[in-house]
Amino acid sequence: MKGAEFISHAQNTWCPGCGNFVIQHTIKDVLSGLGKLPEEVVIVSGIGCHAKIADYMQTNSFYAIHGRGIPVATGIHLGNPQLTVICSAGDGDAYAEGLDHLIFAAKRNVDITVIIHDNRVYGLTTGQYTPTSPPGFAGKSTPEGTHEDPINPPDLMLASGATFIARSYSRDKKGMAEVLKRAILHKGFSFVEVLQVCASFYDAHACYDEHVYTPEGHDPANRDSAERLIREWNYAGEGAIPLGVLYERDAPTFGERVLAGKEGEIDRTGIIERAIGKR
Amino acid sequence: MNDYSICIGGQAGEGINKAGLLIGRVLGLLGYHLYMYYDYPSLIRGGHNFAILRAAEDTIGAIQGKPEIVCALDQETVNRHGNGSLLIYDSDDCKGEGIGIPATTIIREEGGAPIARNTVLIGAFCRAAGIPPEILKEAIQKEFGGRADENQRLALRGYHAAEERMQIPIRTHDPLPMLAGNDAIALGLIRGGLDAYVSYPMTPSSSILHTMADLAQNTPVLVIHPENEIAVITMALGLSYAGKRVAVGTSGGGFCLMTEGVSLAGMAEQPVVIVMAMRPGPSTGMPTYSSQGDLGFVLHAGHGEFPRIVIAPGTTEEAYEWSARAVHLAWQFQVPVFVLSDKNLGEHPKSTSIDPAFAVPIASIRSPRGTYARYCNMPDGISFFYPPPLSGNVVKVNSYTHDDVGITTEDPDLAAASAVKQIRKGATIENEMAYYGCLRVDGREDAPVALICFGSTGEACREIGERLSLKVIRPIVLAPFPLAQFSDALAGVERMIVVEENATGQLDSLLRGYGIVSDRRIANVSGRPFFLDELELKVRGVMQ
Ligand SMILES: Cc1ncc(C[n+]2csc(CCOP(=O)(O)OP(=O)(O)O)c2C)c(N)n1
Ligand code: SF4
Ligand SMILES: [Mg+2]
C-alpha cells in the first residue's frame, strides 16, 4: 500500500514547521515499507498536539484521553496481539499525567511501540513547562522560570526494564525511519523518544542541530555503554545528544506470558458448575 | 417456623469466616436455607470478628437481632454477644455461663493447629443443638477435603465434651451452594459472555477479582490486575475495542479514579461493565463495612451527558442473572453498564439457586454496507460495532466530539448530531429495558403502605414487609429508571417509606425527580445492615 493511503481526509491543523509532520510522514512511510495494511495497525493517542495524529492517519485509531494512551494500547494488544499497536504520546501526556503507565508498560514488556513526541512543552494548552523542559523554563504557568529540574526519560526507561530504547529528532527523517522500523519490528516494549520541534512554543532546533549525533559502532545490547550514552545528555545542559537505537534486548513479552494457554473456547457452563460444586 | 441464628466470634486471624461457613455446611446438610453475616474490621490480626449464621425454612437474605447460640473464642465475644444466648465458649480462654469447652487444651492434647479451636467449638455446638455427629463429620469432609481427618477428630472431641440443650430438627431438603454476591457476580459475568476482567484490589470488590482469577485458571478468561484504577478502566476499554467482552470492579475511591474513563466510554461508545461495590465514605471511610451512599455518584459519574445502565441486584440470584445481562446490555447498546453492589450483598454468603446455563439474549447482528463508519447514524442511535481488523476498513474511536467515521469535529451541526445520537440511544435503551422485569414487588399486593428500597436492603425489607403486611417495591434497574413499571407497582399505595443505607436519601431524591414523593424515610449509616428486629421497630415507628 502506498504511503499516501495512510493519510486520512481530516484537515490538518498543526502549525507550519511543527515537528509532528515529520513524525506522521515517517510512520506512514515505515508502515508502507513494512507492507502493513491500515486495518492491521492501530494508532493510540492521548490528548495534545501530538495526539491529532490519530485523526490524521487512515489506520485504525483510538483517540483516548490525556495521559492514558498506554493502558489503552496495552488492552488492545492483549485483546488482539495480531494488531500492530503504535502509541503516540506527548511529553506532558506520558511523563506527567500518565507516567505510571509508561513505567509499567516498560516493566511488563508490552509488545507495543510508544513514540513520545517530546517538544518539551505543553503545546495544545499553549505553552506550559513539562517534565523535560530545560531548567528555569519560563512558560505560562511559570513566568519566573521553573523551580525544578528535568527528568531524563531514556534513563528512566532503562531503569524500568524497557527492552528497546531509542531517540530520534524531528529534523532527521532518515534516522527516524530506521529507528521506527526497528521499534515496530522489536518484539516487546519499544520506547522511542523523538525530540520534536514545537515551532510555536519551544523551538529548540538550533540547539538540537548543533548537538545531536549518531554514535558509531555502538552495540545496543551492551547495557553499560547504552547507559553511558543515555546519560551523556540530561535534558538540562548543552551536552552531546546521541540518536538512534540506544538499547535493545530480547525478553518474553507481557502478551506472551499472559496469553499462554489462553486460546480456545470458554466452557462457561463448566466453569460455573465447577464453582458451585465446591460450595 | 424453624429459624435459628448462631454467632461465632473471636479475633481476626482466628478463621471466623471459615468457621461460619462450616456451621453453614452443617445446617445446610440439615436442610435449611442459610445466610451469613460476617463482621470484621479492616485489619489482619487482633480486633473483633464475628459471623452470624442464620438458618430458616425459606430463602433469606438478612439477619435477626439476637442469636440463639453464641460460640465464643474470646472474652469479647462473650461480653458482646453472649448475654441471653446459649453460650459455648473456650473455657481456657474466657469466662462465661453456658457450655465451657477446654478447646485450647484439646488442641494441645491432639497436636492440632491453634486456628482449629473453632472446629472444637463447632463440634460442641452440634452436640448442644442435637445435631447428629454424622452430619458434623460430613460437613467437615466437604469443607476441608484432604485435611478432614484431623478436623473431624478435633470436632468430635468438642462434641463429646458438650451436652445437648436443644434440637434443631432435620428437614428433607437438599443443601444449596452458599454463594456470596461477589461469587454470583463473577459467575454471572462469565455466563453473560465475559472474556476479561480487569481490577485493582479494593474492599469490598476484591473478592470478585480473587474469585475470577481462580476461576480463570486453565481457561481462556483473562484476569488482569494493573497499576491503578485509571489503568484498569482504560485498559478495559482497549480490550473492548479489540473485541473482548470486559468488566472492571472497584469501590469508592477506586471508582473516583475511573470516572474520566467512564466518560471516555460514554463518548467513544465503547462497551464495558463496571462493578461498583459500595462501602461507607467519604474517602477511605470504613473499608470493611457497607453503605448505599454512592447511588447518586454512580448515576452521574463522568463529565458530560451520555446514557448508561445502572443495575442494583438485591439477592445473590439477581446478582448472577443481572451480571450476565449486564454484559449483554453493554454490548447491545455500546454503553457503560454498572452493577451497583455493596459489602452486604457482595461478601455475605447465602444459599443460592442458580442455573449454570442461564440464557442471555444474543446481541442482534447487523452488517454494515459500504465503507465502515464506527458512529454511523442509525434511527435508534446504535451504530454497527466491529473490532478491528475489518477488511478494507478502519475502525476509529474518539474521545473528542466526532463525526460518523470517528474524526474530531467542532462543527456546530455535527456536535448537535453527536449529542442527539446519544439522546436517541438513551431513548432506545429505555424502550428496550421495558422488556425486562426491572423491579421486584414483595409483601402484600394490596397493602396501602409500601417500603421502597434498592439493592442489598431488599431482603430485610421483604421480610419486614411480610411480617407487617406491607408492600415492598424494589427497583433493580435504577437507570434508565423504570418509571412505567414503578408506577404500576404503586397502584393502591397511599404511603411510601423509603429505606436506604445512606444519610441524605439518594433513592428518595431519585424518585422525587420523577415526581414520586415519599412520606417517610428510614436511614442507616452504621456500616452494618438493617437487622430485622431493628428495622421492624423503625418501620413501626414511622407508621405511627
Ligand atoms: C485530565 C486532563 N488534564 C488536562 C488536560 C488539558 N490538556 C490537554 S493537552 C495537555 C498537555 C499536552 O501536552 P503534551 O502531552 O506535551 O502534548 P503536546 O500538545 O505538547 O503535543 C493538557 C494539559 C486534559 N485534556 N485532560
Ligand atoms: S503548538 Fe507546537 S506542537 Fe503544537 S502544532 Fe504548533 S508547533 Fe506543533
Ligand atoms: Mg508536549
Side-chain angles (χ1 to χ4, degrees):
Chain A
M1 188 153 266
K2 287 210 297 286
E5 293 176 65
F6 281 92
I7 306 295
S8 78
H9 68 266
Q11 191 203 344
N12 193 301
T13 58
W14 283 323
C15 310
C18 175
N20 283 323
F21 286 107
V22 179
I23 300 177
Q24 184 197 9
H25 287 275
T26 310
I27 294 175
K28 160 203 95 176
D29 292 344
V30 168
L31 291 176
S32 167
L34 289 172
K36 298 273 179 195
L37 296 174
E39 70 215 43
E40 298 168 344
V41 178
V42 190
I43 304 281
V44 183
S45 75
I47 298 294
C49 291
H50 65 277
K52 297 179 178 185
I53 195 167
D55 277 344
Y56 301 160
M57 293 291 292
Q58 183 63 15
T59 60
N60 299 305
S61 60
F62 195 131
Y63 202 154
I65 49 178
H66 189 44
R68 316 300 169 195
I70 292 173
V72 170
T74 302
I76 295 172
H77 171 66
L78 293 177
N80 183 355
Q82 308 308 320
L83 294 166
T84 297
V85 182
I86 299 173
C87 183
S88 272
D91 46 328
D93 210 51
Y95 301 154
E97 186 80 60
L99 180 62
D100 37 3
H101 312 305
L102 178 68
I103 292 175
F104 270 82
K107 168 190 187 286
R108 296 185 181 120
N109 197 28
V110 185
D111 191 4
I112 57 177
T113 298
V114 171
I115 303 172
I116 312 289
H117 302 220
D118 189 357
N119 52 6
R120 304 173 70 198
V121 73
Y122 285 2
L124 193 63
T125 49
T126 68
Q128 300 86 358
Y129 87 102
T130 75
T132 49
S133 299
F137 181 88
K140 284 186 178 160
S141 60
T142 53
E144 297 175 343
T146 57
H147 301 294
E148 56 193 276
D149 292 330
I151 55 167
N152 180 341
D155 206 10
L156 179 65
M157 287 293 90
L158 193 64
S160 305
T163 56
F164 183 101
I165 301 171
R167 187 189 281 125
S168 300
Y169 173 38
S170 64
R171 281 162 59 91
D172 171 22
K173 187 165 187 295
K174 204 159 142 266
M176 193 191 300
E178 178 59 24
V179 161
L180 285 186
K181 186 172 144 210
R182 284 177 63 183
I184 290 168
L185 292 175
H186 173 74
K187 178 178 77 71
F189 180 71
S190 306
F191 172 81
V192 181
E193 149 88 1
V194 179
L195 294 173
Q196 173 232 321
V197 170
C198 171
S200 298
F201 299 107
Y202 186 63
D203 187 352
H205 83 270
C207 167
Y208 294 153
D209 283 349
E210 188 182 333
H211 292 103
V212 297
Y213 78 103
T214 305
E216 262 171 45
H218 167 58
D219 172 14
N222 185 331
R223 194 183 189 282
D224 288 340
S225 70
E227 189 175 275
R228 230 175 296 119
L229 280 179
I230 283 171
R231 291 185 179 173
E232 258 179 41
W233 182 56
N234 64 3
Y235 290 70
E238 291 271 292
I241 306 176
L243 300 180
V245 179
L246 303 174
Y247 183 61
E248 183 167 18
R249 72 184 163 95
D250 189 42
T253 71
F254 190 55
E256 287 171 347
R257 292 160 80 169
V258 168
L259 300 174
K262 291 287 179 190
E263 43 300 289
E265 287 287 304
I266 301 173
D267 170 18
R268 300 183 184 278
T269 310
I271 293 176
I272 296 163
E273 280 171 346
R274 280 196 299 283
I276 57 181
K278 287 192 214 154
R279 303 305 174 92
Chain B
M1 276 283 265
N2 290 305
D3 197 324
Y4 303 96
S5 296
I6 299 100
C7 170
I8 183 161
Q11 298 201 346
E14 290 190 322
I16 301 301
N17 192 3
K18 187 119 171 117
L21 291 172
L22 177 57
I23 297 175
R25 285 263 189 217
V26 170
L27 295 169
L29 288 170
L30 286 185
Y32 288 88
H33 282 270
L34 308 163
Y35 175 73
M36 187 176 104
Y37 170 66
Y38 180 45
D39 188 305
Y40 63 106
S42 181
L43 43 76
I44 308 300
R45 289 268 179 279
H48 178 61
N49 284 15
F50 67 95
I52 297 178
L53 203 295
R54 179 171 168 220
E57 293 185 8
D58 274 325
T59 183
I60 42 168
I63 43 171
Q64 311 272 19
K66 194 92 208 113
E68 279 81 29
I69 302 176
V70 172
C71 302
L73 287 162
D74 67 352
Q75 192 63 44
E76 175 139 15
T77 307
V78 175
N79 299 348
R80 276 222 222 176
H81 310 280
N83 201 8
S85 307
L86 169 56
L87 180 67
I88 301 164
Y89 61 98
D90 181 352
S91 54
D92 294 328
D93 228 45
C94 33
K95 289 193 176 49
E97 264 176 53
I99 304 177
I101 305 290
T104 307
T105 309
I106 291 175
I107 291 288
R108 193 168 346 103
E109 286 169 6
E110 296 286 336
I115 193 151
R117 276 197 311 147
N118 54 40
T119 309
V120 178
L121 287 198
I122 290 169
F125 151 73
C126 287
R127 179 66 172 276
I131 297 166
E134 294 72 28
I135 295 226
L136 171 63
K137 285 170 75 175
E138 189 182 340
I140 292 177
Q141 185 63 47
K142 290 218 156 94
E143 191 66 24
F144 289 94
R147 288 175 300 122
D149 277 2
E150 183 196 337
N151 282 287
Q152 283 170 341
R153 209 172 61 239
L154 293 170
L156 287 176
R157 287 283 313 261
Y159 187 90
H160 292 300
E163 68 215 44
E164 189 170 315
R165 293 288 185 89
M166 61 189 287
Q167 260 213 327
I168 299 184
I170 302 182
R171 300 176 67 245
T172 47
H173 193 286
D174 281 340
L176 287 169
M178 274 184 87
L179 296 183
N182 281 352
D183 300 320
I185 289 170
L187 296 176
L189 291 172
I190 289 181
R191 179 69 271 160
L194 196 81
D195 300 310
Y197 185 73
V198 193
S199 180
Y200 187 88
M202 188 159 183
T203 307
S205 71
S206 305
S207 60
I208 305 173
L209 172 62
H210 304 162
T211 301
M212 201 65 101
D214 185 42
L215 296 175
Q217 291 185 72
N218 305 314
T219 78
V221 177
L222 291 183
V223 176
I224 303 163
H225 161 183
E227 56 272 29
N228 55 37
E229 287 84 353
I230 298 175
V232 166
I233 184 94
T234 46
M235 204 177 280
L237 295 177
L239 281 155
S240 169
Y241 173 79
K244 297 291 179 194
R245 294 190 169 212
V246 57
V248 303
T250 190
S251 177
F255 183 59
C256 289
L257 289 180
M258 287 189 187
T259 52
E260 197 191 8
V262 172
S263 185
L264 169 59
M267 177 55 103
E269 303 192 43
Q270 203 59 57
V272 63
V273 174
I274 301 164
V275 183
M276 164 59 185
M278 293 179 280
R279 69 190 216 186
S283 197
T284 310
M286 294 196 284
T288 58
Y289 290 90
S290 202
S291 163
Q292 297 187 318
D294 295 329
L295 170 61
F297 180 33
V298 166
L299 287 172
H300 302 287
H303 52 294
E305 299 171 301
F306 55 92
R308 72 189 70 203
I309 298 175
V310 178
I311 298 164
T315 64
T316 47
E317 285 86 0
E318 285 171 10
Y320 174 71
E321 295 184 0
W322 278 98
S323 297
R325 288 184 188 131
V327 180
H328 163 71
L329 293 169
W331 267 262
Q332 175 76 32
F333 300 119
Q334 305 163 36
V335 287
V337 174
F338 293 87
V339 176
L340 182 62
S341 176
D342 59 30
K343 186 253 179 175
N344 285 339
L345 176 66
E347 295 196 349
H348 297 152
K350 162 179 127 57
S351 301
T352 303
S353 170
I354 61 171
D355 173 10
F358 177 74
V360 181
I362 296 163
S364 38
I365 296 176
R366 322 190 209 180
S367 311
R369 274 179 293 260
T371 307
Y372 179 65
R374 169 64 188 89
Y375 301 106
C376 85
N377 201 0
M378 305 296 289
D380 61 1
I382 297 165
S383 311
F384 304 111
F385 177 79
Y386 286 96
L390 187 57
S391 179
N393 279 287
V394 296
V395 181
K396 296 183 94 66
V397 306
N398 198 339
S399 73
Y400 274 98
T401 303
H402 42 258
D403 63 13
D404 64 340
V405 298
I407 288 179
T408 304
T409 182
E410 287 170 349
D411 175 275
D413 295 333
L414 290 177
S418 158
V420 167
K421 180 179 196 296
Q422 297 269 17
I423 300 287
R424 248 193 230 144
K425 181 157 117 169
T428 301
I429 295 173
E430 209 167 322
N431 290 339
E432 298 272 327
M433 291 309 289
Y435 294 105
Y436 293 89
C438 295
L439 54 76
R440 182 169 155 173
V441 180
D442 289 294
R444 207 183 93 200
E445 176 74 53
D446 60 347
V449 179
L451 299 180
I452 298 175
C453 56
F454 76 100
S456 70
T457 49
E459 281 293 274
C461 288
R462 177 179 65 79
E463 282 202 53
I464 296 307
E466 285 163 5
R467 269 192 210 172
L468 305 181
S469 280
L470 311 176
K471 193 170 198 174
V472 181
I473 308 173
R474 175 163 60 83
I476 298 171
V477 176
L478 293 160
F481 189 73
L483 188 56
Q485 293 181 26
F486 198 89
S487 304
D488 288 350
L490 276 183
V493 173
E494 289 155 22
R495 293 191 72 199
M496 281 185 272
I497 303 167
V498 179
V499 181
E500 48 187 320
E501 287 172 357
N502 57 56
T504 52
Q506 301 185 13
L507 175 63
D508 195 50
S509 308
L510 177 67
L511 296 172
R512 278 167 198 267
Y514 292 96
I516 302 162
V517 180
S518 67
D519 296 279
R520 295 300 296 264
R521 216 153 55 70
I522 295 175
N524 167 17
V525 290
S526 64
R528 280 71 178 170
F530 282 108
F531 290 66
L532 289 172
D533 301 344
E534 165 207 351
L535 181 59
E536 181 179 341
L537 280 178
K538 286 188 173 174
V539 172
R540 283 185 188 279
V542 299
M543 278 172 56
Q544 299 281 300

